[in-house]
Amino acid sequence: MMKQPHYETHEPDILPQRAAELLCWITNEAIETRGVAHIAISGGATPRPLFKLLTQPRWKTCIPWTHTHIWWVDERCVPPDHPDSNYGVAYALMVQHLPVTITHRIRGEETPWKAAQLYEQELVDAFGLEAGRWPRFDLILLGMGDDGHTASLFPNTPSLAVRERLVTVGRAPSPPHTRITLTLPVLNHAAHVVFLVSGAHKGQALFDIFFLEGGDPPRPASLVRPQEGNQLWLLEREAQIAAGLQPIQNHNH
Ligand code: 6PG
């Protein structure tokens, strides 16, 4: 019997604040112990209020950006100035307003497998990985679609089954269809995974994940279970209600 994932429920205006608190705690702890933090952020609409919040004075100073590497969980195969670019959105809302940032952009303008290969090599170089080793992100911030996809790992697609690579090419049902994504093993080697989920339309996928052990076939997001790490779902109130979950304000992780 799979343990129900840990979760918290928050009002829309509180959700990004809670995510910012976790980001602040995790990055400072990583830098105190190793002198560097590596975080990976997702695209989509849900993290945008968080990106804006992080440029506010309180959070801008709380997070040690000069020692924090910002990576992307996935990217659409479009140039960085395209409105669908995850990097482009994060740069406009957050990165360009921060004091110093060390960013690792997925090159969506390249051919897909070239972009995947370049990003994988950048991970190998930055984490000093030997063959067969996995990068251990301090924090991976994930979203979830109403079909239960996360990153660009969509149901019934080959990218979901990739276990021997760090980065692969994913196929989305909605345009831009071709995407570059971290693979499931990379997500599952993270120290902390935080899901940010909003929207009543995600209730069924959440119900499957929290009450039906992921559903059949398992929703991709249900396959994210860090082997030696923590996972926390931050659910916006309407998503929690739609999933039939009880409200939980604060999880003492
Ligand atoms: C992307 C994201 C994707 C996103 C989900 C949820 O590139 O779109 O990485 O996995 O997290 O689709 O998107 P919303 O936050 O817009 O619901």
Side-chain angles (χ1 to χ4, degrees), residues 144-151 153-157 171-174 201-202 204-206 208-209 214 217-221:
M144 186 189 75
D146 56 6
D147 59 357
H149 83 262
T150 190
L153 304 173
F154 289 85
N156 310 310
T157 61
R171 180 108 188 117
S174 55
H201 60 295
K202 300 181 184 174
Q204 183 57 59
L206 287 171
D208 290 356
I209 290 166
R219 305 277 189 168

mmCIF file with all atom_site columns, all heavy atoms in Angstrom, residues 144-151 153-157 171-174 201-202 204-206 208-209 214 217-221:
data_model
loop_
_atom_site.group_PDB
_atom_site.id
_atom_site.type_symbol
_atom_site.label_atom_id
_atom_site.label_alt_id
_atom_site.label_comp_id
_atom_site.label_asym_id
_atom_site.label_entity_id
_atom_site.label_seq_id
_atom_site.pdbx_PDB_ins_code
_atom_site.Cartn_x
_atom_site.Cartn_y
_atom_site.Cartn_z
_atom_site.occupancy
_atom_site.B_iso_or_equiv
_atom_site.pdbx_formal_charge
_atom_site.auth_seq_id
_atom_site.auth_comp_id
_atom_site.auth_asym_id
_atom_site.auth_atom_id
_atom_site.pdbx_PDB_model_num
ATOM 1   N N   . MET A 1 144 ? 1.575   20.174 -12.237 1.00 0.00 ? 144 MET A N   1
ATOM 2   C CA  . MET A 1 144 ? 0.873   18.998 -12.733 1.00 0.00 ? 144 MET A CA  1
ATOM 3   C C   . MET A 1 144 ? -0.267  19.434 -13.643 1.00 0.00 ? 144 MET A C   1
ATOM 4   O O   . MET A 1 144 ? -1.001  20.383 -13.309 1.00 0.00 ? 144 MET A O   1
ATOM 5   C CB  . MET A 1 144 ? 0.305   18.153 -11.575 1.00 0.00 ? 144 MET A CB  1
ATOM 6   C CG  . MET A 1 144 ? -0.314  16.846 -12.057 1.00 0.00 ? 144 MET A CG  1
ATOM 7   S SD  . MET A 1 144 ? -1.212  15.952 -10.751 1.00 0.00 ? 144 MET A SD  1
ATOM 8   C CE  . MET A 1 144 ? -2.690  16.975 -10.668 1.00 0.00 ? 144 MET A CE  1
ATOM 9   N N   . GLY A 1 145 ? -0.402  18.772 -14.763 1.00 0.00 ? 145 GLY A N   1
ATOM 10  C CA  . GLY A 1 145 ? -1.528  19.073 -15.654 1.00 0.00 ? 145 GLY A CA  1
ATOM 11  C C   . GLY A 1 145 ? -2.761  18.289 -15.237 1.00 0.00 ? 145 GLY A C   1
ATOM 12  O O   . GLY A 1 145 ? -2.690  17.406 -14.376 1.00 0.00 ? 145 GLY A O   1
ATOM 13  N N   . ASP A 1 146 ? -3.895  18.598 -15.858 1.00 0.00 ? 146 ASP A N   1
ATOM 14  C CA  . ASP A 1 146 ? -5.135  17.905 -15.441 1.00 0.00 ? 146 ASP A CA  1
ATOM 15  C C   . ASP A 1 146 ? -5.141  16.437 -15.882 1.00 0.00 ? 146 ASP A C   1
ATOM 16  O O   . ASP A 1 146 ? -5.971  15.648 -15.442 1.00 0.00 ? 146 ASP A O   1
ATOM 17  C CB  . ASP A 1 146 ? -6.383  18.637 -15.956 1.00 0.00 ? 146 ASP A CB  1
ATOM 18  C CG  . ASP A 1 146 ? -6.378  18.820 -17.470 1.00 0.00 ? 146 ASP A CG  1
ATOM 19  O OD1 . ASP A 1 146 ? -5.464  18.272 -18.135 1.00 0.00 ? 146 ASP A OD1 1
ATOM 20  O OD2 . ASP A 1 146 ? -7.280  19.508 -17.986 1.00 0.00 ? 146 ASP A OD2 1
ATOM 21  N N   . ASP A 1 147 ? -4.170  16.075 -16.736 1.00 0.00 ? 147 ASP A N   1
ATOM 22  C CA  . ASP A 1 147 ? -4.024  14.649 -17.111 1.00 0.00 ? 147 ASP A CA  1
ATOM 23  C C   . ASP A 1 147 ? -3.012  13.947 -16.208 1.00 0.00 ? 147 ASP A C   1
ATOM 24  O O   . ASP A 1 147 ? -2.687  12.785 -16.400 1.00 0.00 ? 147 ASP A O   1
ATOM 25  C CB  . ASP A 1 147 ? -3.589  14.521 -18.582 1.00 0.00 ? 147 ASP A CB  1
ATOM 26  C CG  . ASP A 1 147 ? -2.256  15.230 -18.837 1.00 0.00 ? 147 ASP A CG  1
ATOM 27  O OD1 . ASP A 1 147 ? -1.718  15.860 -17.881 1.00 0.00 ? 147 ASP A OD1 1
ATOM 28  O OD2 . ASP A 1 147 ? -1.754  15.191 -19.974 1.00 0.00 ? 147 ASP A OD2 1
ATOM 29  N N   . GLY A 1 148 ? -2.501  14.696 -15.230 1.00 0.00 ? 148 GLY A N   1
ATOM 30  C CA  . GLY A 1 148 ? -1.538  14.112 -14.301 1.00 0.00 ? 148 GLY A CA  1
ATOM 31  C C   . GLY A 1 148 ? -0.108  14.154 -14.809 1.00 0.00 ? 148 GLY A C   1
ATOM 32  O O   . GLY A 1 148 ? 0.794   13.600 -14.174 1.00 0.00 ? 148 GLY A O   1
ATOM 33  N N   . HIS A 1 149 ? 0.129   14.831 -15.956 1.00 0.00 ? 149 HIS A N   1
ATOM 34  C CA  . HIS A 1 149 ? 1.537   14.941 -16.408 1.00 0.00 ? 149 HIS A CA  1
ATOM 35  C C   . HIS A 1 149 ? 2.288   15.876 -15.480 1.00 0.00 ? 149 HIS A C   1
ATOM 36  O O   . HIS A 1 149 ? 1.716   16.751 -14.829 1.00 0.00 ? 149 HIS A O   1
ATOM 37  C CB  . HIS A 1 149 ? 1.617   15.417 -17.871 1.00 0.00 ? 149 HIS A CB  1
ATOM 38  C CG  . HIS A 1 149 ? 1.513   16.897 -18.053 1.00 0.00 ? 149 HIS A CG  1
ATOM 39  N ND1 . HIS A 1 149 ? 0.351   17.545 -18.403 1.00 0.00 ? 149 HIS A ND1 1
ATOM 40  C CD2 . HIS A 1 149 ? 2.450   17.860 -17.944 1.00 0.00 ? 149 HIS A CD2 1
ATOM 41  C CE1 . HIS A 1 149 ? 0.568   18.827 -18.498 1.00 0.00 ? 149 HIS A CE1 1
ATOM 42  N NE2 . HIS A 1 149 ? 1.840   19.063 -18.219 1.00 0.00 ? 149 HIS A NE2 1
ATOM 43  N N   . THR A 1 150 ? 3.606   15.684 -15.460 1.00 0.00 ? 150 THR A N   1
ATOM 44  C CA  . THR A 1 150 ? 4.472   16.624 -14.764 1.00 0.00 ? 150 THR A CA  1
ATOM 45  C C   . THR A 1 150 ? 5.757   16.738 -15.564 1.00 0.00 ? 150 THR A C   1
ATOM 46  O O   . THR A 1 150 ? 6.072   15.847 -16.363 1.00 0.00 ? 150 THR A O   1
ATOM 47  C CB  . THR A 1 150 ? 4.759   16.168 -13.316 1.00 0.00 ? 150 THR A CB  1
ATOM 48  O OG1 . THR A 1 150 ? 5.411   17.218 -12.594 1.00 0.00 ? 150 THR A OG1 1
ATOM 49  C CG2 . THR A 1 150 ? 5.603   14.907 -13.275 1.00 0.00 ? 150 THR A CG2 1
ATOM 50  N N   . ALA A 1 151 ? 6.484   17.834 -15.390 1.00 0.00 ? 151 ALA A N   1
ATOM 51  C CA  . ALA A 1 151 ? 7.580   18.147 -16.313 1.00 0.00 ? 151 ALA A CA  1
ATOM 52  C C   . ALA A 1 151 ? 6.983   18.072 -17.726 1.00 0.00 ? 151 ALA A C   1
ATOM 53  O O   . ALA A 1 151 ? 5.871   18.570 -17.949 1.00 0.00 ? 151 ALA A O   1
ATOM 54  C CB  . ALA A 1 151 ? 8.750   17.192 -16.104 1.00 0.00 ? 151 ALA A CB  1
ATOM 55  N N   . LEU A 1 153 ? 6.581   14.991 -19.017 1.00 0.00 ? 153 LEU A N   1
ATOM 56  C CA  . LEU A 1 153 ? 6.374   13.534 -19.007 1.00 0.00 ? 153 LEU A CA  1
ATOM 57  C C   . LEU A 1 153 ? 4.868   13.311 -19.050 1.00 0.00 ? 153 LEU A C   1
ATOM 58  O O   . LEU A 1 153 ? 4.178   13.393 -18.033 1.00 0.00 ? 153 LEU A O   1
ATOM 59  C CB  . LEU A 1 153 ? 7.002   12.928 -17.743 1.00 0.00 ? 153 LEU A CB  1
ATOM 60  C CG  . LEU A 1 153 ? 8.504   13.217 -17.537 1.00 0.00 ? 153 LEU A CG  1
ATOM 61  C CD1 . LEU A 1 153 ? 8.962   12.715 -16.175 1.00 0.00 ? 153 LEU A CD1 1
ATOM 62  C CD2 . LEU A 1 153 ? 9.353   12.619 -18.655 1.00 0.00 ? 153 LEU A CD2 1
ATOM 63  N N   . PHE A 1 154 ? 4.375   13.063 -20.261 1.00 0.00 ? 154 PHE A N   1
ATOM 64  C CA  . PHE A 1 154 ? 2.932   12.958 -20.482 1.00 0.00 ? 154 PHE A CA  1
ATOM 65  C C   . PHE A 1 154 ? 2.486   11.503 -20.493 1.00 0.00 ? 154 PHE A C   1
ATOM 66  O O   . PHE A 1 154 ? 3.283   10.608 -20.811 1.00 0.00 ? 154 PHE A O   1
ATOM 67  C CB  . PHE A 1 154 ? 2.562   13.659 -21.798 1.00 0.00 ? 154 PHE A CB  1
ATOM 68  C CG  . PHE A 1 154 ? 2.675   15.157 -21.732 1.00 0.00 ? 154 PHE A CG  1
ATOM 69  C CD1 . PHE A 1 154 ? 3.893   15.794 -21.955 1.00 0.00 ? 154 PHE A CD1 1
ATOM 70  C CD2 . PHE A 1 154 ? 1.572   15.943 -21.409 1.00 0.00 ? 154 PHE A CD2 1
ATOM 71  C CE1 . PHE A 1 154 ? 4.012   17.182 -21.867 1.00 0.00 ? 154 PHE A CE1 1
ATOM 72  C CE2 . PHE A 1 154 ? 1.683   17.330 -21.324 1.00 0.00 ? 154 PHE A CE2 1
ATOM 73  C CZ  . PHE A 1 154 ? 2.907   17.947 -21.553 1.00 0.00 ? 154 PHE A CZ  1
ATOM 74  N N   . PRO A 1 155 ? 1.215   11.269 -20.116 1.00 0.00 ? 155 PRO A N   1
ATOM 75  C CA  . PRO A 1 155 ? 0.727   9.877  -20.091 1.00 0.00 ? 155 PRO A CA  1
ATOM 76  C C   . PRO A 1 155 ? 0.933   9.167  -21.435 1.00 0.00 ? 155 PRO A C   1
ATOM 77  O O   . PRO A 1 155 ? 0.815   9.798  -22.498 1.00 0.00 ? 155 PRO A O   1
ATOM 78  C CB  . PRO A 1 155 ? -0.772  10.037 -19.792 1.00 0.00 ? 155 PRO A CB  1
ATOM 79  C CG  . PRO A 1 155 ? -0.899  11.361 -19.127 1.00 0.00 ? 155 PRO A CG  1
ATOM 80  C CD  . PRO A 1 155 ? 0.169   12.228 -19.718 1.00 0.00 ? 155 PRO A CD  1
ATOM 81  N N   . ASN A 1 156 ? 1.261   7.871  -21.352 1.00 0.00 ? 156 ASN A N   1
ATOM 82  C CA  . ASN A 1 156 ? 1.370   7.033  -22.564 1.00 0.00 ? 156 ASN A CA  1
ATOM 83  C C   . ASN A 1 156 ? 2.358   7.598  -23.597 1.00 0.00 ? 156 ASN A C   1
ATOM 84  O O   . ASN A 1 156 ? 2.109   7.538  -24.808 1.00 0.00 ? 156 ASN A O   1
ATOM 85  C CB  . ASN A 1 156 ? -0.014  6.871  -23.221 1.00 0.00 ? 156 ASN A CB  1
ATOM 86  C CG  . ASN A 1 156 ? -1.063  6.445  -22.219 1.00 0.00 ? 156 ASN A CG  1
ATOM 87  O OD1 . ASN A 1 156 ? -0.843  5.492  -21.471 1.00 0.00 ? 156 ASN A OD1 1
ATOM 88  N ND2 . ASN A 1 156 ? -2.152  7.197  -22.128 1.00 0.00 ? 156 ASN A ND2 1
ATOM 89  N N   . THR A 1 157 ? 3.442   8.215  -23.127 1.00 0.00 ? 157 THR A N   1
ATOM 90  C CA  . THR A 1 157 ? 4.465   8.680  -24.081 1.00 0.00 ? 157 THR A CA  1
ATOM 91  C C   . THR A 1 157 ? 5.803   8.033  -23.717 1.00 0.00 ? 157 THR A C   1
ATOM 92  O O   . THR A 1 157 ? 6.057   7.736  -22.534 1.00 0.00 ? 157 THR A O   1
ATOM 93  C CB  . THR A 1 157 ? 4.621   10.220 -24.029 1.00 0.00 ? 157 THR A CB  1
ATOM 94  O OG1 . THR A 1 157 ? 5.044   10.604 -22.716 1.00 0.00 ? 157 THR A OG1 1
ATOM 95  C CG2 . THR A 1 157 ? 3.313   10.916 -24.378 1.00 0.00 ? 157 THR A CG2 1
ATOM 96  N N   . ARG A 1 171 ? 6.766   14.555 -25.774 1.00 0.00 ? 171 ARG A N   1
ATOM 97  C CA  . ARG A 1 171 ? 5.722   14.913 -26.754 1.00 0.00 ? 171 ARG A CA  1
ATOM 98  C C   . ARG A 1 171 ? 4.460   15.300 -26.003 1.00 0.00 ? 171 ARG A C   1
ATOM 99  O O   . ARG A 1 171 ? 3.924   14.501 -25.217 1.00 0.00 ? 171 ARG A O   1
ATOM 100 C CB  . ARG A 1 171 ? 5.453   13.714 -27.677 1.00 0.00 ? 171 ARG A CB  1
ATOM 101 C CG  . ARG A 1 171 ? 4.388   13.949 -28.728 1.00 0.00 ? 171 ARG A CG  1
ATOM 102 C CD  . ARG A 1 171 ? 5.004   14.071 -30.107 1.00 0.00 ? 171 ARG A CD  1
ATOM 103 N NE  . ARG A 1 171 ? 3.962   14.501 -31.097 1.00 0.00 ? 171 ARG A NE  1
ATOM 104 C CZ  . ARG A 1 171 ? 4.022   15.658 -31.758 1.00 0.00 ? 171 ARG A CZ  1
ATOM 105 N NH1 . ARG A 1 171 ? 5.061   16.438 -31.599 1.00 0.00 ? 171 ARG A NH1 1
ATOM 106 N NH2 . ARG A 1 171 ? 3.072   16.021 -32.590 1.00 0.00 ? 171 ARG A NH2 1
ATOM 107 N N   . ALA A 1 172 ? 4.027   16.541 -26.198 1.00 0.00 ? 172 ALA A N   1
ATOM 108 C CA  . ALA A 1 172 ? 2.839   17.030 -25.485 1.00 0.00 ? 172 ALA A CA  1
ATOM 109 C C   . ALA A 1 172 ? 1.627   16.986 -26.407 1.00 0.00 ? 172 ALA A C   1
ATOM 110 O O   . ALA A 1 172 ? 1.762   17.209 -27.618 1.00 0.00 ? 172 ALA A O   1
ATOM 111 C CB  . ALA A 1 172 ? 3.081   18.457 -25.014 1.00 0.00 ? 172 ALA A CB  1
ATOM 112 N N   . PRO A 1 173 ? 0.432   16.717 -25.866 1.00 0.00 ? 173 PRO A N   1
ATOM 113 C CA  . PRO A 1 173 ? -0.768  16.718 -26.715 1.00 0.00 ? 173 PRO A CA  1
ATOM 114 C C   . PRO A 1 173 ? -1.140  18.125 -27.182 1.00 0.00 ? 173 PRO A C   1
ATOM 115 O O   . PRO A 1 173 ? -1.792  18.306 -28.195 1.00 0.00 ? 173 PRO A O   1
ATOM 116 C CB  . PRO A 1 173 ? -1.840  16.128 -25.808 1.00 0.00 ? 173 PRO A CB  1
ATOM 117 C CG  . PRO A 1 173 ? -1.353  16.330 -24.423 1.00 0.00 ? 173 PRO A CG  1
ATOM 118 C CD  . PRO A 1 173 ? 0.148   16.334 -24.488 1.00 0.00 ? 173 PRO A CD  1
ATOM 119 N N   . SER A 1 174 ? -0.685  19.132 -26.409 1.00 0.00 ? 174 SER A N   1
ATOM 120 C CA  . SER A 1 174 ? -1.010  20.515 -26.798 1.00 0.00 ? 174 SER A CA  1
ATOM 121 C C   . SER A 1 174 ? 0.248   21.209 -27.308 1.00 0.00 ? 174 SER A C   1
ATOM 122 O O   . SER A 1 174 ? 1.361   20.879 -26.881 1.00 0.00 ? 174 SER A O   1
ATOM 123 C CB  . SER A 1 174 ? -1.562  21.275 -25.574 1.00 0.00 ? 174 SER A CB  1
ATOM 124 O OG  . SER A 1 174 ? -0.622  21.168 -24.520 1.00 0.00 ? 174 SER A OG  1
ATOM 125 N N   . HIS A 1 201 ? -9.915  21.803 -11.955 1.00 0.00 ? 201 HIS A N   1
ATOM 126 C CA  . HIS A 1 201 ? -9.859  20.844 -13.067 1.00 0.00 ? 201 HIS A CA  1
ATOM 127 C C   . HIS A 1 201 ? -8.801  19.766 -12.866 1.00 0.00 ? 201 HIS A C   1
ATOM 128 O O   . HIS A 1 201 ? -8.748  18.795 -13.624 1.00 0.00 ? 201 HIS A O   1
ATOM 129 C CB  . HIS A 1 201 ? -9.621  21.583 -14.390 1.00 0.00 ? 201 HIS A CB  1
ATOM 130 C CG  . HIS A 1 201 ? -8.358  22.373 -14.448 1.00 0.00 ? 201 HIS A CG  1
ATOM 131 N ND1 . HIS A 1 201 ? -8.118  23.465 -13.639 1.00 0.00 ? 201 HIS A ND1 1
ATOM 132 C CD2 . HIS A 1 201 ? -7.245  22.241 -15.212 1.00 0.00 ? 201 HIS A CD2 1
ATOM 133 C CE1 . HIS A 1 201 ? -6.934  23.963 -13.915 1.00 0.00 ? 201 HIS A CE1 1
ATOM 134 N NE2 . HIS A 1 201 ? -6.374  23.248 -14.852 1.00 0.00 ? 201 HIS A NE2 1
ATOM 135 N N   . LYS A 1 202 ? -7.984  19.924 -11.834 1.00 0.00 ? 202 LYS A N   1
ATOM 136 C CA  . LYS A 1 202 ? -6.958  18.899 -11.568 1.00 0.00 ? 202 LYS A CA  1
ATOM 137 C C   . LYS A 1 202 ? -7.422  17.927 -10.471 1.00 0.00 ? 202 LYS A C   1
ATOM 138 O O   . LYS A 1 202 ? -6.674  17.062 -10.038 1.00 0.00 ? 202 LYS A O   1
ATOM 139 C CB  . LYS A 1 202 ? -5.639  19.567 -11.184 1.00 0.00 ? 202 LYS A CB  1
ATOM 140 C CG  . LYS A 1 202 ? -5.151  20.480 -12.317 1.00 0.00 ? 202 LYS A CG  1
ATOM 141 C CD  . LYS A 1 202 ? -3.869  21.144 -12.053 1.00 0.00 ? 202 LYS A CD  1
ATOM 142 C CE  . LYS A 1 202 ? -3.519  22.100 -13.181 1.00 0.00 ? 202 LYS A CE  1
ATOM 143 N NZ  . LYS A 1 202 ? -2.303  22.887 -12.880 1.00 0.00 ? 202 LYS A NZ  1
ATOM 144 N N   . GLN A 1 204 ? -9.528  15.351 -10.393 1.00 0.00 ? 204 GLN A N   1
ATOM 145 C CA  . GLN A 1 204 ? -9.573  13.915 -10.670 1.00 0.00 ? 204 GLN A CA  1
ATOM 146 C C   . GLN A 1 204 ? -8.160  13.316 -10.650 1.00 0.00 ? 204 GLN A C   1
ATOM 147 O O   . GLN A 1 204 ? -7.920  12.250 -10.077 1.00 0.00 ? 204 GLN A O   1
ATOM 148 C CB  . GLN A 1 204 ? -10.220 13.648 -12.037 1.00 0.00 ? 204 GLN A CB  1
ATOM 149 C CG  . GLN A 1 204 ? -10.371 12.146 -12.359 1.00 0.00 ? 204 GLN A CG  1
ATOM 150 C CD  . GLN A 1 204 ? -11.177 11.389 -11.302 1.00 0.00 ? 204 GLN A CD  1
ATOM 151 O OE1 . GLN A 1 204 ? -12.338 11.729 -11.045 1.00 0.00 ? 204 GLN A OE1 1
ATOM 152 N NE2 . GLN A 1 204 ? -10.581 10.386 -10.646 1.00 0.00 ? 204 GLN A NE2 1
ATOM 153 N N   . ALA A 1 205 ? -7.220  14.020 -11.257 1.00 0.00 ? 205 ALA A N   1
ATOM 154 C CA  . ALA A 1 205 ? -5.836  13.502 -11.257 1.00 0.00 ? 205 ALA A CA  1
ATOM 155 C C   . ALA A 1 205 ? -5.314  13.432 -9.825  1.00 0.00 ? 205 ALA A C   1
ATOM 156 O O   . ALA A 1 205 ? -4.684  12.450 -9.420  1.00 0.00 ? 205 ALA A O   1
ATOM 157 C CB  . ALA A 1 205 ? -4.953  14.396 -12.117 1.00 0.00 ? 205 ALA A CB  1
ATOM 158 N N   . LEU A 1 206 ? -5.618  14.464 -9.030  1.00 0.00 ? 206 LEU A N   1
ATOM 159 C CA  . LEU A 1 206 ? -5.180  14.443 -7.624  1.00 0.00 ? 206 LEU A CA  1
ATOM 160 C C   . LEU A 1 206 ? -5.858  13.304 -6.872  1.00 0.00 ? 206 LEU A C   1
ATOM 161 O O   . LEU A 1 206 ? -5.214  12.597 -6.077  1.00 0.00 ? 206 LEU A O   1
ATOM 162 C CB  . LEU A 1 206 ? -5.491  15.785 -6.950  1.00 0.00 ? 206 LEU A CB  1
ATOM 163 C CG  . LEU A 1 206 ? -4.609  16.965 -7.347  1.00 0.00 ? 206 LEU A CG  1
ATOM 164 C CD1 . LEU A 1 206 ? -5.184  18.259 -6.756  1.00 0.00 ? 206 LEU A CD1 1
ATOM 165 C CD2 . LEU A 1 206 ? -3.161  16.765 -6.872  1.00 0.00 ? 206 LEU A CD2 1
ATOM 166 N N   . ASP A 1 208 ? -6.852  10.431 -8.043  1.00 0.00 ? 208 ASP A N   1
ATOM 167 C CA  . ASP A 1 208 ? -6.173  9.185  -8.424  1.00 0.00 ? 208 ASP A CA  1
ATOM 168 C C   . ASP A 1 208 ? -4.832  9.041  -7.691  1.00 0.00 ? 208 ASP A C   1
ATOM 169 O O   . ASP A 1 208 ? -4.465  7.961  -7.244  1.00 0.00 ? 208 ASP A O   1
ATOM 170 C CB  . ASP A 1 208 ? -5.915  9.167  -9.935  1.00 0.00 ? 208 ASP A CB  1
ATOM 171 C CG  . ASP A 1 208 ? -7.209  9.014  -10.732 1.00 0.00 ? 208 ASP A CG  1
ATOM 172 O OD1 . ASP A 1 208 ? -8.275  8.840  -10.100 1.00 0.00 ? 208 ASP A OD1 1
ATOM 173 O OD2 . ASP A 1 208 ? -7.137  9.093  -11.968 1.00 0.00 ? 208 ASP A OD2 1
ATOM 174 N N   . ILE A 1 209 ? -4.113  10.160 -7.578  1.00 0.00 ? 209 ILE A N   1
ATOM 175 C CA  . ILE A 1 209 ? -2.779  10.104 -6.962  1.00 0.00 ? 209 ILE A CA  1
ATOM 176 C C   . ILE A 1 209 ? -2.881  9.884  -5.454  1.00 0.00 ? 209 ILE A C   1
ATOM 177 O O   . ILE A 1 209 ? -2.133  9.096  -4.870  1.00 0.00 ? 209 ILE A O   1
ATOM 178 C CB  . ILE A 1 209 ? -1.990  11.392 -7.288  1.00 0.00 ? 209 ILE A CB  1
ATOM 179 C CG1 . ILE A 1 209 ? -1.634  11.398 -8.784  1.00 0.00 ? 209 ILE A CG1 1
ATOM 180 C CG2 . ILE A 1 209 ? -0.743  11.533 -6.420  1.00 0.00 ? 209 ILE A CG2 1
ATOM 181 C CD1 . ILE A 1 209 ? -1.168  12.733 -9.320  1.00 0.00 ? 209 ILE A CD1 1
ATOM 182 N N   . GLY A 1 214 ? -2.223  6.458  -7.598  1.00 0.00 ? 214 GLY A N   1
ATOM 183 C CA  . GLY A 1 214 ? -1.770  6.979  -8.882  1.00 0.00 ? 214 GLY A CA  1
ATOM 184 C C   . GLY A 1 214 ? -2.715  6.718  -10.034 1.00 0.00 ? 214 GLY A C   1
ATOM 185 O O   . GLY A 1 214 ? -2.617  7.377  -11.074 1.00 0.00 ? 214 GLY A O   1
ATOM 186 N N   . PRO A 1 217 ? -3.725  3.506  -16.034 1.00 0.00 ? 217 PRO A N   1
ATOM 187 C CA  . PRO A 1 217 ? -2.281  3.516  -15.751 1.00 0.00 ? 217 PRO A CA  1
ATOM 188 C C   . PRO A 1 217 ? -1.929  4.657  -14.817 1.00 0.00 ? 217 PRO A C   1
ATOM 189 O O   . PRO A 1 217 ? -2.675  5.643  -14.739 1.00 0.00 ? 217 PRO A O   1
ATOM 190 C CB  . PRO A 1 217 ? -1.658  3.703  -17.136 1.00 0.00 ? 217 PRO A CB  1
ATOM 191 C CG  . PRO A 1 217 ? -2.668  4.479  -17.906 1.00 0.00 ? 217 PRO A CG  1
ATOM 192 C CD  . PRO A 1 217 ? -4.011  3.994  -17.412 1.00 0.00 ? 217 PRO A CD  1
ATOM 193 N N   . PRO A 1 218 ? -0.819  4.537  -14.113 1.00 0.00 ? 218 PRO A N   1
ATOM 194 C CA  . PRO A 1 218 ? -0.484  5.568  -13.128 1.00 0.00 ? 218 PRO A CA  1
ATOM 195 C C   . PRO A 1 218 ? -0.265  6.932  -13.766 1.00 0.00 ? 218 PRO A C   1
ATOM 196 O O   . PRO A 1 218 ? 0.360   7.048  -14.812 1.00 0.00 ? 218 PRO A O   1
ATOM 197 C CB  . PRO A 1 218 ? 0.810   5.053  -12.478 1.00 0.00 ? 218 PRO A CB  1
ATOM 198 C CG  . PRO A 1 218 ? 1.307   3.971  -13.344 1.00 0.00 ? 218 PRO A CG  1
ATOM 199 C CD  . PRO A 1 218 ? 0.165   3.446  -14.142 1.00 0.00 ? 218 PRO A CD  1
ATOM 200 N N   . ARG A 1 219 ? -0.822  7.930  -13.134 1.00 0.00 ? 219 ARG A N   1
ATOM 201 C CA  . ARG A 1 219 ? -0.590  9.305  -13.587 1.00 0.00 ? 219 ARG A CA  1
ATOM 202 C C   . ARG A 1 219 ? 0.916   9.575  -13.489 1.00 0.00 ? 219 ARG A C   1
ATOM 203 O O   . ARG A 1 219 ? 1.532   9.246  -12.455 1.00 0.00 ? 219 ARG A O   1
ATOM 204 C CB  . ARG A 1 219 ? -1.329  10.285 -12.688 1.00 0.00 ? 219 ARG A CB  1
ATOM 205 C CG  . ARG A 1 219 ? -2.829  10.028 -12.550 1.00 0.00 ? 219 ARG A CG  1
ATOM 206 C CD  . ARG A 1 219 ? -3.627  10.592 -13.671 1.00 0.00 ? 219 ARG A CD  1
ATOM 207 N NE  . ARG A 1 219 ? -5.064  10.516 -13.410 1.00 0.00 ? 219 ARG A NE  1
ATOM 208 C CZ  . ARG A 1 219 ? -5.977  11.160 -14.143 1.00 0.00 ? 219 ARG A CZ  1
ATOM 209 N NH1 . ARG A 1 219 ? -5.593  11.936 -15.146 1.00 0.00 ? 219 ARG A NH1 1
ATOM 210 N NH2 . ARG A 1 219 ? -7.265  11.024 -13.880 1.00 0.00 ? 219 ARG A NH2 1
ATOM 211 N N   . PRO A 1 220 ? 1.517   10.214 -14.475 1.00 0.00 ? 220 PRO A N   1
ATOM 212 C CA  . PRO A 1 220 ? 2.972   10.469 -14.402 1.00 0.00 ? 220 PRO A CA  1
ATOM 213 C C   . PRO A 1 220 ? 3.412   11.117 -13.096 1.00 0.00 ? 220 PRO A C   1
ATOM 214 O O   . PRO A 1 220 ? 4.421   10.710 -12.505 1.00 0.00 ? 220 PRO A O   1
ATOM 215 C CB  . PRO A 1 220 ? 3.218   11.376 -15.611 1.00 0.00 ? 220 PRO A CB  1
ATOM 216 C CG  . PRO A 1 220 ? 2.181   10.942 -16.609 1.00 0.00 ? 220 PRO A CG  1
ATOM 217 C CD  . PRO A 1 220 ? 0.967   10.608 -15.794 1.00 0.00 ? 220 PRO A CD  1
ATOM 218 N N   . ALA A 1 221 ? 2.655   12.081 -12.599 1.00 0.00 ? 221 ALA A N   1
ATOM 219 C CA  . ALA A 1 221 ? 3.062   12.774 -11.361 1.00 0.00 ? 221 ALA A CA  1
ATOM 220 C C   . ALA A 1 221 ? 3.129   11.795 -10.179 1.00 0.00 ? 221 ALA A C   1
ATOM 221 O O   . ALA A 1 221 ? 3.903   12.012 -9.234  1.00 0.00 ? 221 ALA A O   1
ATOM 222 C CB  . ALA A 1 221 ? 2.106   13.907 -11.036 1.00 0.00 ? 221 ALA A CB  1
#
